Amino acid sequence: MIEAGGIRLDVSDTRDFLTEEELQGYSPRVEKAAAELEDGKSPGSDFLGWLDLPDRITETEFATIEKSAARARDDSEICVVIGIGGSYLGARAILDALPDSGTNENPEILFAGTGLCAATLDGVLNRLAGKDFRVCVISKSGTTLEPALAFRILRSMLIERYGAAAAARRITAITDAEKGALRQLAIEEGYETFIIPDNVGGRFSVLTPVGLVPLAMAGIDIRALVAGAGSMRAACRATDLFVNPAHLYAATRIGLYEKGFTTEVMSTFHGGLQTIQEWWKQLFGESEGKGGQGIFPASTVFTTDLHSLGQYIQDGRRNLQETFLCVRDSGRNLTVPAEGEGGNNLDGLDYLVGRNLDDINWKAFEGTRKAHLAGGVPCTAFELESITPENVGGLIYLFEKAVGIGGRLLKVNPFDQPGVETYKKEMFRLLGKP
Ligand code: PA5
C-alpha cells in the first residue's frame, strides 16, 4: 500500500496473478518510459504540455479565470457549457465528484453538444425558458460537428433573447490560439476567449481553461484542484516503483494485461464518481486503444451493478482486472434507525441499527473485493478518505501520468487518436458534406 496526496493505492490483491518479483521486473521499463516522457523523447512529444501544467499556471491566469467566472455569476442563472470528449468530460467529472464544493450560487452548469440526440439538446433548451443564461463553448479544433451544431442553435437563442451585441458578451469561447472556425468567429464577434495550449490534447486538458473556466463558474476551488495535481506531480516523479503511484499503477495494469487480463473494470461504490469513471475510460481507451493493442476500459457503479454485471465479474470470462475507486466518508451522516416502539424487526435489519451508511458501503466494498479476488479477478484499489478538490486534482494527474507511461509500455503513441476519423468520414459522406 502506498499513499500520496490523500490517495492510497493498494495492489496487494493482484499478487496471485502478478508476483512482486514480476512486478519489480517492470521497473526498468517504467522508469525508461517516464524519463522519455519527462525529456520529451517519446512519440507524441508535441503533446506533453499537460506534464507540468500544475506548476505552470500563473496567478494572472487564475485571476483572469476567476474574474470571468464572477461575471458569469452576476449575469446568468445558467451557463451552458458546450463541448464533447476531452472538451467537457473533465469539468463534468469534477463537478459531479464535488457536488458540495461549489458555491451553489448562479450559474447552474448544464452541458450541451455532447452528442447528436435531439431530445437531450431539447431538454437543455427547455431548461433555459425564463432564465438568464450564457454559453461557454469549448472546442480545440473549433470544427467538431456536435459542439458546432449545439453552438449554432444556442447562439441563435442568445441573439433572439438579448440582441446581437449583448449576446456576444454572453459567450465565452475556449479554443486554439489561432486555428479553427471557432477562433475566427470569436475574433469577428468579439467573444471573451481563453486559449487551449497547442501542446495539450483534449483528454489531457482538464487543468487548462477547458476545465478550469466552467469549474470556476460553478464555484469550485480551482486553486486547490491545481495544487492537488501539483503535489501529485511531485509524488509521481519518484523513481522507486513502490513509492510512485503512477508507476505502480501503470506497471500493475500493463503487467496484468500481458498475462491476458485485457479488460480493466473501474468499480466504485460512490455514485458521484461515475463521471470520473467516464473521464478515465476516455483517457485510457483513446490513449491506449490503437495498433491492435490496449486494455479495454469499462466501469461499474456498485452496489447497483452487483445486481447485474456483478455476475459476469464474479463468474464470466476470466480476462478481467478490476480497479476500485472508493471513498470512506461521503460527507453525509445517514444512520440506520431503530424501529421504535412496537417494531418487530420484520426486515431483519436490527443488526445494523446505529450503523452509518458509509460504513455499510465500505464493508460492501471489502466483501466484493474478496469475492472477486476469489473468483479469479486481480484487484487494485484506490482509496480516498473523502473527496476534496485537492485529491481529485491529484487523481487526475496520477491517471494522466500512468497512461502516458502505459502507452509507452504498449509501444503506442498515447497522445493521438487516428481511429476516431474513420466513422467521421463515413458520416460526413452520408450527410453530403462538401
Ligand atoms: O481527447 C480528444 O482529443 C477528443 O476527445 C477531443 O477532446 C474531442 O473530440 C473534442 O475535440 P475538440 O475540442 O477539437 O472539439
Side-chain angles (χ1 to χ4, degrees), residues 123-136:
V124 173
L125 302 184
N126 289 335
R127 298 274 307 275
L128 303 177
K131 304 254 187 194
D132 274 319
F133 72 101
R134 58 168 37 249
V135 164
C136 175

Side-chain angles (χ1 to χ4, degrees), residues 66 155-156 371:
E66 284 161 353
R155 188 162 47 108
S156 303

Side-chain angles (χ1 to χ4, degrees), residues 281-300:
K281 285 194 286 193
Q282 189 209 350
L283 181 71
F284 281 84
E286 213 172 17
S287 299
E288 291 183 346
K290 49 199 76 160
Q293 289 283 341
I295 299 174
F296 184 78
S299 63
T300 55

Side-chain angles (χ1 to χ4, degrees), residues 81-95:
V81 174
I82 300 176
I84 196 165
S87 285
Y88 95 104
L89 259 176
R92 189 171 200 163
I94 294 169
L95 272 178

Side-chain angles (χ1 to χ4, degrees), residues 82-89 138-148 174-175 182 196 200-205 210 282-283 286-287 415-417 420-421 423-424:
I82 300 176
I84 196 165
S87 285
Y88 95 104
L89 259 176
I138 310 176
S139 177
K140 186 169 185 198
S141 62
T143 53
T144 308
L145 179 66
E146 295 89 336
I174 305 180
T175 187
L182 183 55
I196 309 177
V200 181
R203 57 191 173 275
F204 291 85
S205 68
V210 170
Q282 189 209 350
L283 181 71
E286 213 172 17
S287 299
F415 308 112
D416 66 1
Q417 51 284 328
V420 302
E421 295 308 317
Y423 91 90
K424 286 185 193 168

